Amino acid sequence: MTSLGRRAVLAAILAAGLLAAGLTAGLAGLAAGAGTPGTPVRTAAPAARAQRVPARPARRVVYPASFAGSAMTGGRQGLQVFAARSGRLLRPVTTVKSASGPEVAGHPRQLYYLTDGTGPNCSTIMRFRYGGGQPRVLRRFVNISVAAFTVSRDGRMLAYVWSPQGSAAPGFRCDVTSPANLTVQNLRTGARHTLRGVPGGVSGLAWSPRDRRLAVDVTGGPLDISQVRVLAQPLTAARYDPGRPLRCPAAGRSCAEFTPQFTTAGAVAFTACLQLSARTCRYVLARAGGSRTVVLARLGRGLARTQDGAWSAVDPAGSAAIVTTPLGARFATYRWVRGHGVVRLHRPVNGVSW
């Protein structure tokens, strides 16, 4: 074979090899899903486009559907139950005029409240099934006047501040002497313990989780304002010896503190009056934990023209509250829910509890 013939044969062999390689690559592409003849090939979308991350919904906060208190309008007396969503009156509890200090506690839920009397029966703590029923006597105090009381959330422990009656003349309201006493009692076993030397002016008490500590709202001190202090050992201490007042949420200012309540995490929620002058206040809902006190919600618009105090009820998680504060020269009741802000309810209610 001539040199020219050999070149022609080699060229034919090379062309056949290239054609076979192309067919092999095309078949491999089809096997890999590259497409079929006549069908356009769809390329994969970028990962950011292919995966749409749904927006995270707002965390739902579950709070009690109703709360107890005393209507401040409408000429009603005693205690009632209101809808937490709107403040609408649901049902009366008692029409006794002196009924005050409602406490919702226990499982199933019970409503406890305090009534005043005359003569030797100065004070009585009543118990009422929250869903309805007839009030029953929990404790009747003879020749003793009770200034404030509280029942732990589990319904196990009672605490009350009391003073011996100064006058038991029939037809006259009870007088009290000072200083007072603080008694804690296990409602299941009946065991009790009393601390002496409690100053006058106690207006609120609250048990901590597991019923180990006790918050006390008492008026006094150099500024003669209401402040919250915590008793570290109320079950064993012989005398009233509280710690320092809770920190004011406004650094460098004095503030009055009202109606403390513990959360399940051990923090203390309370309503604070930031005293901007001798006659005005800006009310906030605050939480104290460790060395910090933070503002949870600002209540009302502008300044209140009174420092007469406030009432608040906080759910165990510390994520919702019913709060009543002065608004101008009157009062207003609000519902606060974490992440959803503050809503003013239809009517003002004092002594709120849920």
Side-chain angles (χ1 to χ4, degrees):
M1 183 179 294
T2 64
S3 174
L4 183 61
R6 285 196 298 272
R7 289 180 181 178
V9 170
L10 289 174
I13 293 173
L14 180 61
L18 291 174
L19 178 61
L23 289 173
T24 302
L27 292 174
L30 290 174
T36 57
T39 302
V41 178
R42 296 180 179 180
T43 59
R49 295 181 181 178
Q51 298 180 358
R52 292 184 178 180
V53 179
R56 180 178 296 179
R59 183 179 179 183
R60 185 180 179 186
V61 176
V62 179
Y63 55 86
S66 62
F67 65 94
S70 181
M72 302 179 74
T73 58
R76 296 183 179 273
Q77 296 181 351
L79 301 174
Q80 303 86 31
V81 174
F82 304 87
R85 187 173 182 83
S86 63
R88 179 173 59 90
L89 175 65
L90 297 179
R91 60 184 181 273
V93 174
T94 177
T95 58
V96 175
K97 185 177 180 180
S98 65
S100 63
E103 291 264 339
V104 180
H107 307 285
R109 293 204 298 171
Q110 305 283 322
L111 174 61
Y112 302 83
Y113 61 91
L114 183 68
T115 62
D116 298 335
T118 58
N121 297 320
C122 279
S123 303
T124 303
I125 298 178
M126 305 294 294
R127 179 176 59 188
F128 177 85
R129 186 174 180 181
Y130 192 76
Q134 293 297 319
R136 297 184 177 183
V137 174
L138 176 68
R139 282 292 311 272
R140 178 174 282 116
F141 300 90
V142 178
N143 296 329
I144 286 176
S145 181
V146 174
F149 82 99
T150 189
V151 179
S152 59
R153 291 191 188 272
D154 57 10
R156 187 174 69 96
M157 295 297 296
L158 168 70
Y160 54 94
V161 173
W162 59 275
S163 298
Q165 186 176 0
S167 172
F172 289 89
R173 297 193 62 80
C174 301
D175 295 329
V176 297
T177 59
S178 185
N181 308 286
L182 170 62
T183 294
V184 296
Q185 179 182 354
N186 189 314
L187 293 176
R188 297 177 183 174
T189 66
R192 67 183 66 182
H193 174 71
T194 297
L195 290 74
R196 309 292 181 183
V198 179
V202 174
S203 58
L205 302 166
W207 282 105
S208 70
R210 302 179 64 182
D211 311 334
R212 299 286 181 84
R213 296 180 295 158
L214 194 67
V216 181
D217 182 6
V218 58
T219 299
L223 299 177
D224 193 30
I225 59 175
S226 176
Q227 292 183 310
V228 176
R229 302 169 183 263
V230 177
L231 293 173
Q233 298 177 326
L235 303 180
T236 57
R239 294 190 61 82
Y240 176 82
D241 186 20
R244 297 173 60 86
L246 298 182
R247 288 179 177 269
C248 181
R253 295 180 182 175
S254 63
C255 67
E257 303 163 348
F258 308 98
T259 56
Q261 283 192 304
F262 280 92
T263 67
T264 52
V268 181
F270 61 97
T271 306
C273 157
L274 309 183
Q275 296 180 311
L276 302 182
S277 73
R279 295 183 179 180
T280 62
C281 267
R282 186 181 302 280
Y283 284 88
V284 299
L285 181 66
R287 183 189 65 224
S291 60
R292 294 185 58 202
T293 299
V294 298
V295 172
L296 299 177
R298 301 185 183 276
L299 306 166
R301 297 178 180 178
L303 298 179
R305 296 196 296 272
T306 175
Q307 300 176 359
D308 290 343
W311 301 271
S312 60
V314 182
D315 75 327
S319 56
I322 300 291
V323 189
T324 299
T325 68
L327 178 64
R330 300 183 179 181
F331 285 84
T333 296
Y334 308 92
R335 183 189 71 250
W336 167 76
V337 178
R338 179 179 297 162
H340 298 273
V342 176
V343 176
R344 183 178 175 181
L345 303 186
H346 290 337
R347 59 168 52 83
V349 181
N350 70 22
V352 295
S353 178
W354 66 6

